[in-house]
Amino acid sequence: MKKIYFLLFTLLFTAASSFAQVVINEIDVDTPGSDTAEFVELKAAPNTSLDGYIVVFFNGGNDSSYGAWSLDGKTTDANGFFILANTSLVSGSDIDLPPGGSGYIQNGADAIAIYQDDIANFPNGTAPTMTNLIDAIVYGTSDGDDAELLTGLGETVQYDEDLNGAKDTESLQLNAAGTAFNTKAVTFRDFNDAAVCALSLSSTSAVCDAFTPGTDTYTATVDFSGGGTASYTVTANSGTVDFSAGDPSTDATGTITVTGVAEGTDVMISVVDGALCDLSSTVTSPECLPSNTLPLYEGFDYTVGNDLGTEANWNNFSGSTNPIDVVSGSLSYTGLVASTGESVFLEGGAIDSELTFTPVTSGDVFASFIINVSDLSNITDTTDGGYVVILGDFDARLWIHPDTDPVGTTYDIALTNSSTGENFSTTKYNVGDDVLIVMSYNIQTGAINGWINPASTDFGGSAPTATLTDTDTSPSSIIDTFALRQDSTGETPAMIFDELRIGTSWADVTPSTLSLTNVNRNAFSVYPNPITSGIVNISSTNSEAISVQVFDVLGKQVKNETLTNNTLNVSNLKSGIYIVKISQNNATTTKKLVIK
């Protein structure tokens, strides 16, 4: 950058060579202690003669000069610089202000000017003039404007070295365009960094603080680098700025955080230093709709051959090869509602996938599903096999274990909190059979219960006596994930998995009629959202009629229509956040709609 910057100045001053242009490039008038590091840095083309130029210092106290210095016999150095400075900084042919002294340059409101004139015309006490004036700067350190100096030197701006509250460590520097001075960290006898804002903003994020049908708040963040280079002012047009993860005024890198932003409101985060840096980044509001609200049903109604981890609401969280695949067909169990989709295939040594749902912080979480173990032959761990299902953060694990050694065609099942299988079922299950499993976890007690092939007469009522039990001695305070695990090839059987239901009661996960929310909410599209035109488009992956109900945040129904052309007119609704319940056949989902 320095070479490019130097080239820019070289071209600038070469173009102006007919005027032998010399400019004030940087001044530092207020330095630590007794001002022993003050300087004025001039700039021209490299090795330019300064004969005929003088530098005059003006005192704002009486609006007249207090010193003038001839540059006869002086030249700029190989980089185009010439220095007038206190003794501690001078070298070579620099001018010492004054010889052997310090604290020469007034702190402001004052001025410094370059004239192409005879020094005899500027005895101390000379009023500022524009005659033969080449360049000038009127400056201060948090001082009021000096109108007489500004007018006398033809300037319109009085620059503040204390603009960022760092007058001892910052100077006034000419920008690359040569049009203004910026307050930045000192660049003595070096190319100014005033033309470059050292700070940069990068990636943003928005995370909901809660997931409710009403208006929630969210936390917005923006990453930064190049901090610690100036005093920055950070503002946001909504919410509260929090520097706990990083402050650009003091930290080189970090994250600016804005908390308590209202859902539906995009937040703009602005960062300025009063000089060159004037940055902003807009964070778009997330939709804080309860994600996969309970009870939910996952019938794996996806395209055969797809990677489960890429489908709506699923995520691959472990492993790198051989994902869980969507396969054709479905599993069934007598008395249980029939499948509405396909199924998925698991085997050993591959990727694990998880589903996140609305956090449960008290009571029980239930999950039911059907498995069909198709092959045990790869299993070499005949001690406890491996676990293929995880409820919560490894809070409850379902194990499949071949019950013979060598491995045959039957297996037993265990349900534990630990990382080893134990207390396996006494009943043996055959390869190729559809097996219904129900499991639960109690957040208060850590009680883990399991039921294998429960009687259909118990569906929809209260839970019968569990056939498998265990206890988590350190109960989790939250359950919000369900995962399918493909452990090593020596521990995991090949199996089909289908008909996942998650809820907070036995009845939720053992339905005799389809009454659960389909997890495949990406089957419906609602756009634009937010909406300003009065018309919202609602579509799905099939052509059957869509029923739409719209509720305000108080739960009052304000619309109830069956769409015929995939459009809903909401022009009569006031600005705000609404809940849209969309139904088609047995699939139902809810989404937030923001009307502006």
Side-chain angles (χ1 to χ4, degrees):
M1 284 299 293
K2 289 183 178 179
K3 291 181 179 178
I4 296 172
Y5 188 57
F6 171 61
L7 178 59
L8 175 62
F9 266 99
T10 300
L11 292 173
L12 174 64
F13 288 109
T14 300
S17 61
S18 60
F19 301 98
Q21 185 175 2
V22 182
V23 297
I24 298 170
N25 192 54
E26 181 177 3
I27 67 170
D28 190 7
V29 301
D30 203 337
T31 64
S34 57
D35 288 347
T36 59
E38 298 173 333
F39 68 87
V40 176
E41 180 182 87
L42 308 184
K43 187 74 171 65
N47 305 309
T48 295
S49 170
L50 299 177
D51 288 347
Y53 292 97
I54 61 173
V55 176
V56 181
F57 295 84
F58 292 96
N59 189 337
N62 56 15
D63 297 319
S64 61
S65 65
Y66 64 91
W69 299 84
S70 172
L71 303 184
D72 287 347
K74 306 293 186 181
T75 60
T76 59
D77 63 18
N79 291 319
F81 297 120
F82 183 78
I83 303 297
L84 298 88
N86 293 152
T87 303
S88 62
L89 297 181
V90 296
S91 62
S93 63
D94 294 343
I95 291 179
D96 193 331
L97 297 175
S102 64
Y104 176 82
I105 306 175
Q106 300 292 324
N107 288 353
D110 299 296
I112 301 172
I114 303 174
Y115 289 92
Q116 198 167 20
D117 208 333
D118 191 327
I119 194 171
N121 295 327
F122 286 87
N124 289 350
T126 300
T129 176
M130 294 177 63
T131 302
N132 297 325
L133 179 66
I134 301 301
D135 194 19
I137 179 174
V138 180
Y139 64 87
T141 48
S142 298
D143 301 293
D145 285 358
D146 189 312
E148 289 77 8
L149 290 179
L150 289 168
T151 300
L153 295 171
E155 297 294 314
T156 58
V157 177
Q158 178 172 306
Y159 294 99
D160 185 5
E161 188 173 315
D162 197 33
L163 182 67
N164 301 318
K167 58 185 177 59
D168 286 349
T169 57
E170 294 186 335
S171 64
L172 294 171
Q173 303 170 28
L174 186 67
N175 65 16
T179 57
F181 285 85
N182 297 311
T183 308
K184 302 289 289 184
V186 176
T187 59
F188 176 69
R189 215 186 294 268
D190 201 352
F191 300 102
N192 292 346
D193 63 356
V196 178
C197 177
L199 187 72
S200 63
L201 305 180
S202 54
S203 58
T204 63
S205 70
V207 178
C208 296
D209 299 324
F211 298 87
T212 72
T215 303
D216 299 311
T217 60
Y218 70 95
T219 298
T221 64
V222 58
D223 295 335
F224 68 85
S225 59
T229 51
S231 178
Y232 297 98
T233 300
V234 181
T235 58
N237 63 347
S238 183
T240 303
V241 177
D242 178 4
F243 294 117
S244 59
D247 183 345
S249 294
T250 57
D251 302 320
T253 60
T255 301
I256 300 169
T257 304
V258 179
T259 61
V261 185
E263 179 190 4
T265 300
D266 298 341
V267 59
M268 184 172 72
I269 303 170
S270 301
V271 186
V272 300
D273 64 355
L276 190 67
C277 290
D278 186 0
L279 309 176
S280 65
S281 184
T282 298
V283 181
T284 302
S285 171
E287 184 182 7
C288 302
L289 184 70
S291 175
N292 296 338
T293 55
L294 301 183
L296 66 81
Y297 165 63
E298 171 62 284
F300 302 102
D301 190 11
Y302 308 119
T303 301
V304 172
N306 280 8
D307 170 2
L308 178 62
T310 65
E311 298 295 351
N313 308 298
W314 285 91
N315 173 59
N316 289 333
F317 71 97
S318 179
S320 58
T321 59
N322 193 16
I324 296 173
D325 295 322
V326 179
V327 294
S328 62
S330 58
L331 305 181
S332 63
Y333 187 82
T334 302
L336 193 67
V337 174
S339 174
T340 63
E342 308 294 346
S343 54
V344 293
F345 176 74
L346 287 73
E347 59 186 338
I351 292 173
D352 303 333
S353 300
E354 67 179 357
L355 170 74
T356 301
F357 50 85
T358 304
V360 179
T361 57
S362 63
D364 291 300
V365 180
F366 284 80
S368 73
F369 44 86
I370 303 174
I371 65 171
N372 185 307
V373 175
S374 57
D375 189 359
L376 293 167
S377 62
N378 283 335
I379 294 183
T380 56
D381 183 351
T382 57
T383 301
D384 55 7
Y387 57 96
V388 294
V389 166
I390 307 168
L391 181 60
D393 185 15
F394 296 91
D395 297 298
R397 317 180 202 200
L398 183 86
W399 297 76
I400 302 295
H401 166 244
D403 75 312
T404 60
D405 187 5
V407 174
T409 59
T410 59
Y411 62 93
D412 43 30
I413 297 172
L415 185 62
T416 73
N417 167 254
S418 68
S419 59
T420 58
E422 53 193 13
N423 299 326
F424 284 91
S425 62
T426 56
T427 301
K428 311 304 177 184
Y429 303 94
N430 297 316
V431 167
D433 288 349
D434 291 356
V435 177
L436 173 65
I437 298 171
V438 183
M439 58 193 295
S440 71
Y441 183 94
N442 185 278
I443 292 173
Q444 276 74 32
T445 65
I448 299 170
N449 291 307
W451 298 262
I452 306 175
N453 288 339
S456 59
T457 54
D458 289 325
F459 291 175
S462 299
T465 301
T467 54
L468 298 174
T469 61
D470 195 25
T471 301
D472 181 357
T473 56
S474 300
S476 175
S477 61
I478 182 174
I479 299 292
D480 62 356
T481 57
F482 180 93
L484 296 177
R485 186 168 189 260
Q486 301 187 113
D487 206 341
S488 69
T489 55
E491 296 174 290
T492 307
M495 59 182 287
I496 303 296
F497 183 96
D498 198 9
E499 296 302 282
L500 172 62
R501 292 175 169 88
I502 303 175
T504 56
S505 70
W506 170 270
D508 284 344
V509 299
T510 58
S512 56
T513 58
L514 186 56
S515 59
L516 304 182
T517 302
N518 191 327
V519 72
N520 189 10
R521 58 179 72 247
N522 268 15
F524 296 101
S525 297
V526 177
Y527 63 94
N529 192 6
I531 180 175
T532 57
S533 64
I535 299 294
V536 60
N537 299 286
I538 301 176
S539 62
S540 74
T541 55
N542 65 63
S543 59
E544 297 187 28
I546 300 175
S547 298
V548 178
Q549 294 172 285
V550 181
F551 302 86
D552 63 20
V553 292
L554 299 178
K556 178 183 177 182
Q557 181 176 291
V558 294
K559 276 191 175 295
N560 184 1
E561 297 183 16
T562 297
L563 305 185
T564 57
N565 59 358
N566 290 342
T567 61
L568 179 68
N569 190 329
V570 293
S571 59
N572 64 327
L573 299 182
K574 297 179 180 179
S575 298
I577 295 179
Y578 295 83
I579 303 302
V580 181
K581 182 177 180 181
I582 309 167
S583 301
Q584 187 179 53
N585 291 330
N586 292 319
T588 301
T589 189
T590 55
K591 290 181 177 289
K592 280 186 181 177
L593 176 67
V594 179
I595 300 178
K596 290 189 174 181

